[in-house]
Amino acid sequence: MSQQQPPRSGGPRRGGPEGGGDRRGGAEGRGGSRGGSEERGDRRGGPGGRPPRDGGSRRNAKGRERNRGGERDRRYSSSAPSQRRRVADPSRLVAFEVLQAVDTEDAYANLVLPQRIRHHRLDRRDAAFATELTYGSLRERGTYDAVLARCVDRPLEKIDQKILTTLRLGAHQLLGMRTPVHAALNQTVGLARGVVGAGPSTMVNAVLRRVSERSCQEWIAELTEGVTDDLKRLSIERSHPVWIVRAMRQALAAHGRVPTEVEELLAADNLSPLVHLVALPGIGDLREAEENGAEAGELVEGSATYRHGDLGRMESVRSGRVRAQDAGSQIVARALAAAPLEGADETWLDLCAGPGGKAALLGALAARRGAHLVANEVSEHRARLVRESLRVLPEQTYGVVVGDGREIAATLEEGPLPEPVELAVEAFGGSGEIFDRVMVDAPCSGLGALRRRPEARWRKTPSDIADLVPLQTDLLRAAVGVTRPGGVVAYVTCSPHAAETQNVLLDVLEGGDVELLDTAGVIRSVMLPGPARDELTGLEMPGTTPAEGFERATTVQLWPHVHGTDAMFLALLRRR
């Protein structure tokens, strides 16, 4: 993208028609502005210069020159240190505070940002600016860091964290937004003065002036010149670690797509995603959201998309009747509720419920049928989040328990549970196969949600996936163990990585306790008519016999660049 080109940092600084001019005076400098060629000589006196006011030399005994006041009163610049802007506008300060929390406290931007927006009382326009500045700086960090490394004289890891955060925010304004160059420089330097100090702000100014000398495309061309490795090139161009680029390309192939789609996938990760809303069935509606500009969702019923900043301004959202939830999450929850089931449909389980988004949707769907939901979470802290998420449901329709999902049978014995579930547990001696529908939204790498949680791409490592796979496998097996024969289990990850999806599924299928449904067919039944539904075919698992009543045994992988959702994986299993 083209950028307005400011004067280079090594050029003239003040005066003149374009802000240049010799700082010591001259026809277009400070001396010239006071009118008179007689004032444009050597400022120490002599021919063409100004004599000292007292007629004598202003040099002291050591030869140092005293204050050059002359006959004129001294003028103080409006940018004197005491009068300079100490902070940037609140929207930039919000972005800075969020990025600092992400980098120093391992916070998640999507949780911190709304709090800081409310704290600084940003209006809708400033909140939108702060949101784009925050997420854009996080998404494009890899590219911006490569640019900044060319513009500073030390390794980035040697730069103070606050200064580096400020530089990244300035780089995004200059290279990724439509912010005028002068505004990006002035406001970012003002931010640096306020949060770091006057000294470092000089460095920030110099570095960002160098950044502004080229457009983003020009910088990328320079950074990728001579790079022959496609993975490395894409890593620079699309701001993803090399290992994630490789993993995504492999995941596309594993789920039946063309590996060359990886560039589209990475590009989709870097787009600002729409906010997806869901009205809890039988509890909320989308009227208020629609009055505030939300548009009806195109993928699943009861959904909408929203573009206009802080959702907390809407009462329906504050009450929990309407909430933000990616359409992919809505689809997999509704698919579990819609899967064909023989016999009773009374007890549902969300094995890994925190923080409670899918649990709330499942609980609302269950309540409408007279069923009851048990939501399990491993820690009391996250269980509190689940309780808060479920508080809008009828009180007797759900229960929250705390325990390791791998030990869910033992946890159920301790309760507390909704009365019908309690009776079922007692009837089966506390460890029986009692649940009709079970959601296993397993802890995963989150590679499918990088557009919504862009900080994750800079935190995760391949070893994280290796550590997660045994946990995911054990959780799925535990879920199967408390599902009644004929009951349905949904295995869900927000990651397309084959190790976390197909490999886990194959391990459990080999045990012979479950059979794979036509997951794609069930998902199509809950999606709204349209191209996304028509094109969703699913992937047949080789060597897997379809469950009774189905002609195919399929899994489904949703994609940001294809479906406009997070990269959610779903496999529906029936207990034999």
Side-chain angles (χ1 to χ4, degrees):
M1 70 188 70
S2 63
Q3 296 282 348
Q4 178 181 343
Q5 298 298 319
R8 296 196 177 195
S9 57
R13 291 191 175 181
R14 301 188 198 170
E18 297 179 3
D22 190 312
R23 297 178 66 186
R24 297 173 298 177
E28 297 174 345
R30 252 188 334 196
S33 67
R34 299 188 185 279
S37 59
E38 69 275 13
E39 295 185 356
R40 295 201 298 267
D42 187 327
R43 299 178 70 177
R44 295 173 295 179
R50 291 193 309 277
R53 196 183 319 188
D54 59 4
S57 172
R58 289 194 300 273
R59 294 185 178 275
N60 61 20
K62 295 184 178 181
R64 293 174 181 165
E65 194 172 1
R66 298 194 300 274
N67 189 294
R68 301 190 293 266
E71 296 179 352
R72 300 168 297 173
D73 293 333
R74 293 190 70 191
R75 283 180 151 187
Y76 291 91
S77 167
S78 62
S79 62
S82 62
Q83 301 177 20
R84 290 174 185 157
R85 185 175 180 87
R86 305 293 305 177
V87 296
D89 63 272
S91 58
R92 289 175 172 85
L93 185 58
V94 164
F96 174 85
E97 291 173 350
V98 175
L99 263 61
Q100 278 296 105
V102 167
D103 289 329
T104 63
E105 303 170 19
D106 283 338
Y108 288 102
N110 66 318
L111 300 179
V112 178
L113 181 60
Q115 299 171 3
R116 304 318 300 164
I117 286 175
R118 287 191 287 270
H119 175 80
H120 289 279
R121 300 184 179 182
L122 300 189
D123 61 23
R124 178 175 291 182
R125 180 177 179 182
D126 286 344
F129 183 90
T131 299
E132 168 54 29
L133 183 55
T134 298
Y135 282 111
S137 299
L138 286 171
R139 291 187 190 101
E140 303 289 351
R141 174 177 294 186
T143 302
Y144 296 155
D145 280 3
V147 172
L148 291 170
R150 297 286 183 98
C151 298
V152 296
D153 58 359
R154 71 195 77 168
L156 295 189
E157 58 268 21
K158 299 291 185 181
I159 298 176
D160 178 82
Q161 183 61 55
K162 290 183 179 180
I163 298 174
L164 184 56
T165 295
T166 306
L167 289 172
R168 288 166 172 164
L169 292 171
H172 185 56
Q173 293 171 72
L174 291 168
L175 303 179
M177 300 178 73
R178 298 178 180 177
T179 310
V181 172
H182 68 87
L185 292 172
N186 292 344
Q187 292 290 356
T188 307
V189 171
L191 172 64
R193 289 194 187 106
V195 299
V196 187
S201 70
T202 302
M203 171 193 171
V204 170
N205 181 54
V207 171
L208 292 182
R209 284 187 178 277
R210 288 196 64 189
V211 172
S212 71
E213 291 173 358
R214 295 175 177 82
S215 69
C216 188
Q217 288 81 0
E218 289 169 339
W219 274 116
I220 288 176
E222 178 177 318
L223 292 168
T224 57
E225 184 178 3
V227 176
T228 57
D229 185 332
D230 284 344
L231 295 178
K232 187 174 181 180
R233 175 183 59 80
L234 285 172
S235 174
I236 296 170
E237 292 178 348
R238 300 302 181 185
S239 190
H240 286 68
V242 170
W243 78 269
I244 291 182
V245 178
R246 181 184 295 107
M248 291 299 194
R249 189 170 68 177
Q250 293 171 345
L252 285 163
H255 292 286
R257 302 199 68 87
V258 180
T260 53
E261 288 182 28
V262 67
E263 189 160 359
E264 297 174 57
L265 172 57
L266 300 176
D269 274 350
N270 289 337
L271 295 176
S272 299
L274 293 174
V275 176
H276 293 171
L277 302 178
V278 59
L280 296 184
I283 296 172
D285 61 64
L286 295 169
R287 285 176 294 183
E288 183 185 20
E290 291 167 351
E291 291 170 358
N292 281 272
E295 299 178 0
E298 298 179 354
L299 294 177
V300 61
E301 66 173 307
S303 69
T305 57
Y306 185 70
R307 300 174 182 267
H308 300 293
D310 187 9
L311 293 172
R313 292 187 171 94
M314 290 189 286
E315 190 279 331
S316 57
V317 174
R318 292 195 303 272
S319 69
R321 294 177 286 111
V322 173
R323 55 192 65 202
Q325 186 175 65
D326 182 73
S329 296
Q330 298 178 46
I331 288 171
V332 298
R334 287 184 177 273
L336 171 59
L341 194 69
E342 296 178 0
D345 192 5
E346 300 174 352
T347 56
W348 298 13
L349 171 67
D350 189 344
L351 187 65
C352 310
K358 294 184 187 70
L361 180 52
L362 283 173
L365 292 168
R368 296 185 75 181
R369 302 184 191 178
H372 298 78
L373 174 73
V374 176
N376 177 74
E377 186 49 55
V378 68
S379 69
E380 180 56 42
H381 166 68
R382 288 177 62 84
R384 285 196 296 270
L385 298 177
V386 175
R387 293 188 190 99
E388 178 64 20
S389 183
L390 300 181
R391 62 181 171 80
V392 296
L393 302 179
E395 187 175 356
Q396 298 303 315
T397 64
Y398 70 91
V400 178
V401 296
V402 181
D404 188 328
R406 292 169 291 188
E407 305 295 336
I408 183 61
T411 301
L412 291 172
E413 294 181 358
E414 300 176 5
L417 302 171
E419 185 175 352
V421 181
E422 188 82 53
L423 293 174
V425 172
E426 293 175 358
F428 285 92
S431 59
E433 303 160 344
I434 63 171
F435 289 103
D436 305 304
R437 300 182 190 272
V438 179
M439 168 74 76
V440 185
D441 184 13
C444 68
S445 65
L447 296 184
L450 295 182
R451 59 193 191 131
R452 297 189 185 277
R453 291 186 175 177
E455 63 273 18
R457 70 184 76 176
W458 314 119
R459 291 177 176 172
K460 300 294 184 180
T461 66
S463 63
D464 294 328
I465 294 175
D467 293 340
L468 284 165
V469 169
L471 172 62
Q472 294 160 346
T473 305
D474 289 345
L475 287 168
L476 182 51
R477 286 177 175 152
V480 171
V482 294
T483 304
R484 68 165 177 82
V488 176
V489 179
Y491 177 65
V492 177
T493 67
C494 191
S495 169
H497 199 291
E500 301 182 86
T501 56
Q502 294 173 336
N503 292 1
V504 170
L505 180 61
L506 288 172
D507 280 349
V508 175
L509 285 171
E510 286 177 0
D513 293 327
V514 291
E515 53 189 356
L516 182 62
L517 308 186
D518 181 9
T519 305
V522 177
I523 283 188
R524 283 196 298 271
S525 74
V526 302
M527 292 180 69
L528 295 173
R533 186 179 73 175
D534 297 340
E535 296 172 6
L536 192 145
T537 59
L539 180 69
E540 294 197 33
M541 296 293 287
T544 302
T545 302
E548 185 178 352
F550 291 90
E551 296 181 358
R552 305 171 68 225
T554 63
T555 63
V556 167
Q557 178 64 60
L558 302 175
W559 298 99
H561 66 296
V562 178
H563 307 101
T565 69
D566 291 344
M568 303 291 297
F569 172 82
L570 174 64
L572 293 172
L573 306 169
R574 179 187 291 160
R575 177 69 191 271
R576 292 184 187 273

